[in-house]
mmCIF file of all heavy atoms in Angstrom:
data_model
loop_
_atom_site.group_PDB
_atom_site.id
_atom_site.type_symbol
_atom_site.label_atom_id
_atom_site.label_comp_id
_atom_site.label_asym_id
_atom_site.label_seq_id
_atom_site.Cartn_x
_atom_site.Cartn_y
_atom_site.Cartn_z
ATOM 1 N N ALA A 514 -30.632 15.076 35.070
ATOM 2 C CA ALA A 514 -30.371 14.361 33.819
ATOM 3 C C ALA A 514 -30.416 12.875 34.096
ATOM 4 O O ALA A 514 -29.711 12.375 34.987
ATOM 5 C CB ALA A 514 -29.013 14.747 33.256
ATOM 6 N N SER A 515 -31.266 12.167 33.376
ATOM 7 C CA SER A 515 -31.302 10.702 33.494
ATOM 8 C C SER A 515 -30.296 10.094 32.533
ATOM 9 O O SER A 515 -29.861 10.738 31.575
ATOM 10 C CB SER A 515 -32.702 10.185 33.192
ATOM 11 O OG SER A 515 -33.022 10.408 31.828
ATOM 12 N N TRP A 516 -29.924 8.854 32.787
ATOM 13 C CA TRP A 516 -28.971 8.184 31.902
ATOM 14 C C TRP A 516 -29.509 8.117 30.473
ATOM 15 O O TRP A 516 -28.737 8.211 29.513
ATOM 16 C CB TRP A 516 -28.661 6.788 32.403
ATOM 17 C CG TRP A 516 -27.774 6.638 33.607
ATOM 18 C CD1 TRP A 516 -27.373 5.453 34.150
ATOM 19 C CD2 TRP A 516 -27.141 7.652 34.406
ATOM 20 N NE1 TRP A 516 -26.553 5.652 35.229
ATOM 21 C CE2 TRP A 516 -26.390 7.005 35.410
ATOM 22 C CE3 TRP A 516 -27.132 9.043 34.381
ATOM 23 C CZ2 TRP A 516 -25.643 7.703 36.370
ATOM 24 C CZ3 TRP A 516 -26.404 9.738 35.334
ATOM 25 C CH2 TRP A 516 -25.671 9.080 36.299
ATOM 26 N N SER A 517 -30.818 7.978 30.323
ATOM 27 C CA SER A 517 -31.390 7.926 28.973
ATOM 28 C C SER A 517 -31.199 9.250 28.235
ATOM 29 O O SER A 517 -31.063 9.274 27.009
ATOM 30 C CB SER A 517 -32.873 7.569 29.026
ATOM 31 O OG SER A 517 -33.605 8.534 29.773
ATOM 32 N N ASP A 518 -31.185 10.378 28.971
ATOM 33 C CA ASP A 518 -30.909 11.677 28.350
ATOM 34 C C ASP A 518 -29.487 11.735 27.803
ATOM 35 O O ASP A 518 -29.202 12.474 26.851
ATOM 36 C CB ASP A 518 -31.068 12.819 29.362
ATOM 37 C CG ASP A 518 -32.475 12.945 29.911
ATOM 38 O OD1 ASP A 518 -33.431 12.706 29.144
ATOM 39 O OD2 ASP A 518 -32.613 13.279 31.103
ATOM 40 N N LEU A 519 -28.594 10.942 28.404
ATOM 41 C CA LEU A 519 -27.166 11.056 28.137
ATOM 42 C C LEU A 519 -26.619 9.915 27.295
ATOM 43 O O LEU A 519 -25.415 9.873 27.017
ATOM 44 C CB LEU A 519 -26.396 11.113 29.467
ATOM 45 C CG LEU A 519 -26.867 12.172 30.466
ATOM 46 C CD1 LEU A 519 -26.112 12.039 31.778
ATOM 47 C CD2 LEU A 519 -26.705 13.571 29.887
ATOM 48 N N GLY A 520 -27.492 8.999 26.906
ATOM 49 C CA GLY A 520 -27.043 7.865 26.106
ATOM 50 C C GLY A 520 -26.281 6.827 26.901
ATOM 51 O O GLY A 520 -25.479 6.065 26.339
ATOM 52 N N ILE A 521 -26.527 6.777 28.211
ATOM 53 C CA ILE A 521 -25.885 5.783 29.087
ATOM 54 C C ILE A 521 -26.904 4.693 29.421
ATOM 55 O O ILE A 521 -28.068 4.989 29.695
ATOM 56 C CB ILE A 521 -25.368 6.446 30.379
ATOM 57 C CG1 ILE A 521 -24.339 7.535 30.049
ATOM 58 C CG2 ILE A 521 -24.774 5.416 31.326
ATOM 59 C CD1 ILE A 521 -23.884 8.342 31.266
ATOM 60 N N LYS A 522 -26.476 3.448 29.391
ATOM 61 C CA LYS A 522 -27.379 2.340 29.701
ATOM 62 C C LYS A 522 -27.915 2.472 31.120
ATOM 63 O O LYS A 522 -27.207 2.867 32.045
ATOM 64 C CB LYS A 522 -26.656 1.004 29.517
ATOM 65 C CG LYS A 522 -26.307 0.705 28.061
ATOM 66 C CD LYS A 522 -25.609 -0.641 27.931
ATOM 67 C CE LYS A 522 -25.260 -0.927 26.468
ATOM 68 N NZ LYS A 522 -24.539 -2.228 26.314
ATOM 69 N N SER A 523 -29.161 2.093 31.294
ATOM 70 C CA SER A 523 -29.896 2.405 32.526
ATOM 71 C C SER A 523 -29.279 1.825 33.791
ATOM 72 O O SER A 523 -29.343 2.448 34.853
ATOM 73 C CB SER A 523 -31.346 1.918 32.394
ATOM 74 O OG SER A 523 -31.376 0.522 32.143
ATOM 75 N N ALA A 524 -28.689 0.658 33.726
ATOM 76 C CA ALA A 524 -28.166 0.008 34.932
ATOM 77 C C ALA A 524 -26.715 0.377 35.229
ATOM 78 O O ALA A 524 -26.103 -0.176 36.151
ATOM 79 C CB ALA A 524 -28.296 -1.505 34.798
ATOM 80 N N THR A 525 -26.160 1.306 34.499
ATOM 81 C CA THR A 525 -24.737 1.622 34.622
ATOM 82 C C THR A 525 -24.459 2.476 35.857
ATOM 83 O O THR A 525 -25.166 3.441 36.143
ATOM 84 C CB THR A 525 -24.263 2.392 33.372
ATOM 85 O OG1 THR A 525 -24.559 1.633 32.205
ATOM 86 C CG2 THR A 525 -22.761 2.647 33.433
ATOM 87 N N SER A 526 -23.415 2.092 36.591
ATOM 88 C CA SER A 526 -22.916 2.963 37.654
ATOM 89 C C SER A 526 -21.795 3.823 37.082
ATOM 90 O O SER A 526 -21.058 3.398 36.186
ATOM 91 C CB SER A 526 -22.400 2.145 38.838
ATOM 92 O OG SER A 526 -21.283 1.369 38.451
ATOM 93 N N VAL A 527 -21.675 5.036 37.587
ATOM 94 C CA VAL A 527 -20.675 5.966 37.053
ATOM 95 C C VAL A 527 -19.947 6.656 38.188
ATOM 96 O O VAL A 527 -20.470 6.784 39.301
ATOM 97 C CB VAL A 527 -21.311 7.031 36.134
ATOM 98 C CG1 VAL A 527 -22.143 6.399 35.023
ATOM 99 C CG2 VAL A 527 -22.127 8.034 36.930
ATOM 100 N N ASP A 528 -18.750 7.118 37.879
ATOM 101 C CA ASP A 528 -18.068 8.083 38.730
ATOM 102 C C ASP A 528 -18.330 9.458 38.138
ATOM 103 O O ASP A 528 -18.059 9.704 36.954
ATOM 104 C CB ASP A 528 -16.566 7.807 38.769
ATOM 105 C CG ASP A 528 -16.224 6.549 39.539
ATOM 106 O OD1 ASP A 528 -16.981 6.187 40.455
ATOM 107 O OD2 ASP A 528 -15.196 5.907 39.213
ATOM 108 N N ALA A 529 -18.880 10.345 38.961
ATOM 109 C CA ALA A 529 -19.230 11.690 38.502
ATOM 110 C C ALA A 529 -18.220 12.688 39.060
ATOM 111 O O ALA A 529 -18.141 12.904 40.275
ATOM 112 C CB ALA A 529 -20.637 12.058 38.957
ATOM 113 N N ARG A 530 -17.457 13.282 38.155
ATOM 114 C CA ARG A 530 -16.458 14.263 38.542
ATOM 115 C C ARG A 530 -17.035 15.663 38.378
ATOM 116 O O ARG A 530 -17.384 16.089 37.272
ATOM 117 C CB ARG A 530 -15.208 14.111 37.669
ATOM 118 C CG ARG A 530 -14.112 15.143 37.915
ATOM 119 C CD ARG A 530 -13.453 14.956 39.256
ATOM 120 N NE ARG A 530 -12.324 15.879 39.437
ATOM 121 C CZ ARG A 530 -11.609 15.959 40.554
ATOM 122 N NH1 ARG A 530 -11.894 15.162 41.595
ATOM 123 N NH2 ARG A 530 -10.608 16.812 40.656
ATOM 124 N N ASP A 531 -17.174 16.396 39.489
ATOM 125 C CA ASP A 531 -17.646 17.779 39.462
ATOM 126 C C ASP A 531 -16.462 18.666 39.078
ATOM 127 O O ASP A 531 -15.494 18.795 39.837
ATOM 128 C CB ASP A 531 -18.197 18.166 40.835
ATOM 129 C CG ASP A 531 -18.860 19.532 40.857
ATOM 130 O OD1 ASP A 531 -18.329 20.455 40.195
ATOM 131 O OD2 ASP A 531 -19.889 19.695 41.528
ATOM 132 N N LEU A 532 -16.543 19.295 37.893
ATOM 133 C CA LEU A 532 -15.388 20.005 37.366
ATOM 134 C C LEU A 532 -15.149 21.363 38.018
ATOM 135 O O LEU A 532 -14.057 21.921 37.878
ATOM 136 C CB LEU A 532 -15.527 20.191 35.843
ATOM 137 C CG LEU A 532 -15.725 18.917 35.020
ATOM 138 C CD1 LEU A 532 -15.612 19.229 33.538
ATOM 139 C CD2 LEU A 532 -14.735 17.832 35.418
ATOM 140 N N TRP A 533 -16.149 21.886 38.704
ATOM 141 C CA TRP A 533 -15.956 23.158 39.402
ATOM 142 C C TRP A 533 -15.653 22.965 40.883
ATOM 143 O O TRP A 533 -14.924 23.752 41.483
ATOM 144 C CB TRP A 533 -17.168 24.066 39.202
ATOM 145 C CG TRP A 533 -17.246 24.602 37.799
ATOM 146 C CD1 TRP A 533 -18.112 24.225 36.820
ATOM 147 C CD2 TRP A 533 -16.382 25.581 37.205
ATOM 148 N NE1 TRP A 533 -17.854 24.906 35.645
ATOM 149 C CE2 TRP A 533 -16.797 25.749 35.853
ATOM 150 C CE3 TRP A 533 -15.305 26.341 37.660
ATOM 151 C CZ2 TRP A 533 -16.172 26.642 34.973
ATOM 152 C CZ3 TRP A 533 -14.687 27.227 36.788
ATOM 153 C CH2 TRP A 533 -15.123 27.371 35.472
ATOM 154 N N GLU A 534 -16.180 21.896 41.472
ATOM 155 C CA GLU A 534 -15.862 21.593 42.871
ATOM 156 C C GLU A 534 -14.617 20.717 42.987
ATOM 157 O O GLU A 534 -14.065 20.554 44.080
ATOM 158 C CB GLU A 534 -17.050 20.885 43.536
ATOM 159 C CG GLU A 534 -18.305 21.730 43.655
ATOM 160 C CD GLU A 534 -18.126 22.903 44.593
ATOM 161 O OE1 GLU A 534 -17.296 22.814 45.523
ATOM 162 O OE2 GLU A 534 -18.814 23.923 44.397
ATOM 163 N N HIS A 535 -14.210 20.104 41.875
ATOM 164 C CA HIS A 535 -13.041 19.215 41.835
ATOM 165 C C HIS A 535 -13.191 18.054 42.831
ATOM 166 O O HIS A 535 -12.284 17.744 43.598
ATOM 167 C CB HIS A 535 -11.748 19.994 42.110
ATOM 168 C CG HIS A 535 -11.557 21.176 41.203
ATOM 169 N ND1 HIS A 535 -11.377 21.045 39.842
ATOM 170 C CD2 HIS A 535 -11.550 22.514 41.461
ATOM 171 C CE1 HIS A 535 -11.248 22.249 39.299
ATOM 172 N NE2 HIS A 535 -11.364 23.161 40.249
ATOM 173 N N SER A 536 -14.364 17.450 42.768
ATOM 174 C CA SER A 536 -14.662 16.306 43.641
ATOM 175 C C SER A 536 -15.352 15.222 42.833
ATOM 176 O O SER A 536 -15.955 15.495 41.784
ATOM 177 C CB SER A 536 -15.555 16.735 44.806
ATOM 178 O OG SER A 536 -16.799 17.225 44.322
ATOM 179 N N THR A 537 -15.266 13.982 43.308
ATOM 180 C CA THR A 537 -15.833 12.843 42.584
ATOM 181 C C THR A 537 -16.752 12.051 43.504
ATOM 182 O O THR A 537 -16.410 11.778 44.665
ATOM 183 C CB THR A 537 -14.712 11.914 42.068
ATOM 184 O OG1 THR A 537 -13.807 12.670 41.267
ATOM 185 C CG2 THR A 537 -15.283 10.776 41.231
ATOM 186 N N THR A 538 -17.919 11.662 42.976
ATOM 187 C CA THR A 538 -18.839 10.785 43.689
ATOM 188 C C THR A 538 -19.258 9.653 42.759
ATOM 189 O O THR A 538 -19.208 9.785 41.542
ATOM 190 C CB THR A 538 -20.098 11.547 44.149
ATOM 191 O OG1 THR A 538 -20.724 12.153 43.001
ATOM 192 C CG2 THR A 538 -19.742 12.625 45.155
ATOM 193 N N SER A 539 -19.671 8.528 43.348
ATOM 194 C CA SER A 539 -20.160 7.389 42.569
ATOM 195 C C SER A 539 -21.681 7.398 42.570
ATOM 196 O O SER A 539 -22.318 7.664 43.598
ATOM 197 C CB SER A 539 -19.644 6.077 43.166
ATOM 198 O OG SER A 539 -18.237 6.010 43.055
ATOM 199 N N LEU A 540 -22.257 7.123 41.407
ATOM 200 C CA LEU A 540 -23.712 7.134 41.255
ATOM 201 C C LEU A 540 -24.166 5.846 40.588
ATOM 202 O O LEU A 540 -23.592 5.425 39.588
ATOM 203 C CB LEU A 540 -24.151 8.325 40.395
ATOM 204 C CG LEU A 540 -23.844 9.734 40.913
ATOM 205 C CD1 LEU A 540 -24.204 10.762 39.857
ATOM 206 C CD2 LEU A 540 -24.609 10.010 42.203
ATOM 207 N N ASP A 541 -25.215 5.247 41.125
ATOM 208 C CA ASP A 541 -25.827 4.084 40.472
ATOM 209 C C ASP A 541 -27.345 4.230 40.416
ATOM 210 O O ASP A 541 -28.090 3.262 40.280
ATOM 211 C CB ASP A 541 -25.443 2.784 41.175
ATOM 212 C CG ASP A 541 -25.807 2.775 42.659
ATOM 213 O OD1 ASP A 541 -26.533 3.696 43.096
ATOM 214 O OD2 ASP A 541 -25.359 1.859 43.367
ATOM 215 N N SER A 542 -27.814 5.479 40.509
ATOM 216 C CA SER A 542 -29.251 5.760 40.570
ATOM 217 C C SER A 542 -29.881 5.965 39.202
ATOM 218 O O SER A 542 -31.088 6.141 39.084
ATOM 219 C CB SER A 542 -29.496 7.013 41.410
ATOM 220 O OG SER A 542 -28.772 8.118 40.872
ATOM 221 N N GLY A 543 -29.059 5.986 38.156
ATOM 222 C CA GLY A 543 -29.593 6.199 36.809
ATOM 223 C C GLY A 543 -29.873 7.644 36.469
ATOM 224 O O GLY A 543 -30.468 7.941 35.431
ATOM 225 N N GLU A 544 -29.410 8.568 37.325
ATOM 226 C CA GLU A 544 -29.595 9.990 37.054
ATOM 227 C C GLU A 544 -28.613 10.800 37.875
ATOM 228 O O GLU A 544 -27.998 10.302 38.827
ATOM 229 C CB GLU A 544 -31.023 10.428 37.375
ATOM 230 C CG GLU A 544 -31.399 10.309 38.842
ATOM 231 C CD GLU A 544 -32.812 10.778 39.124
ATOM 232 O OE1 GLU A 544 -33.662 10.688 38.215
ATOM 233 O OE2 GLU A 544 -33.062 11.238 40.262
ATOM 234 N N ILE A 545 -28.476 12.059 37.490
ATOM 235 C CA ILE A 545 -27.662 12.997 38.253
ATOM 236 C C ILE A 545 -28.458 14.286 38.378
ATOM 237 O O ILE A 545 -29.092 14.745 37.423
ATOM 238 C CB ILE A 545 -26.289 13.231 37.586
ATOM 239 C CG1 ILE A 545 -25.406 14.108 38.472
ATOM 240 C CG2 ILE A 545 -26.422 13.813 36.178
ATOM 241 C CD1 ILE A 545 -23.944 14.138 38.024
ATOM 242 N N SER A 546 -28.454 14.873 39.595
ATOM 243 C CA SER A 546 -29.269 16.051 39.877
ATOM 244 C C SER A 546 -28.475 17.081 40.656
ATOM 245 O O SER A 546 -27.476 16.758 41.307
ATOM 246 C CB SER A 546 -30.508 15.679 40.708
ATOM 247 O OG SER A 546 -31.315 14.760 40.040
ATOM 248 N N ALA A 547 -28.953 18.323 40.588
ATOM 249 C CA ALA A 547 -28.357 19.384 41.402
ATOM 250 C C ALA A 547 -29.384 20.471 41.649
ATOM 251 O O ALA A 547 -30.179 20.796 40.761
ATOM 252 C CB ALA A 547 -27.128 19.970 40.710
ATOM 253 N N GLU A 548 -29.383 21.014 42.862
ATOM 254 C CA GLU A 548 -30.157 22.210 43.183
ATOM 255 C C GLU A 548 -29.334 23.418 42.770
ATOM 256 O O GLU A 548 -28.199 23.602 43.240
ATOM 257 C CB GLU A 548 -30.453 22.269 44.679
ATOM 258 C CG GLU A 548 -31.472 21.266 45.156
ATOM 259 C CD GLU A 548 -32.902 21.706 44.872
ATOM 260 O OE1 GLU A 548 -33.091 22.893 44.499
ATOM 261 O OE2 GLU A 548 -33.812 20.877 45.008
#
Side-chain angles (χ1 to χ4, degrees):
S515 67
W516 286 182
S517 60
D518 298 324
L519 307 175
I521 300 174
K522 293 181 180 178
S523 58
T525 304
S526 64
V527 306
D528 289 332
R530 176 69 175 177
D531 187 321
L532 304 190
W533 288 106
E534 295 294 332
H535 306 295
S536 62
T537 304
T538 56
S539 295
L540 298 173
D541 57 10
S542 57
E544 64 179 28
I545 186 168
S546 300
E548 288 280 349

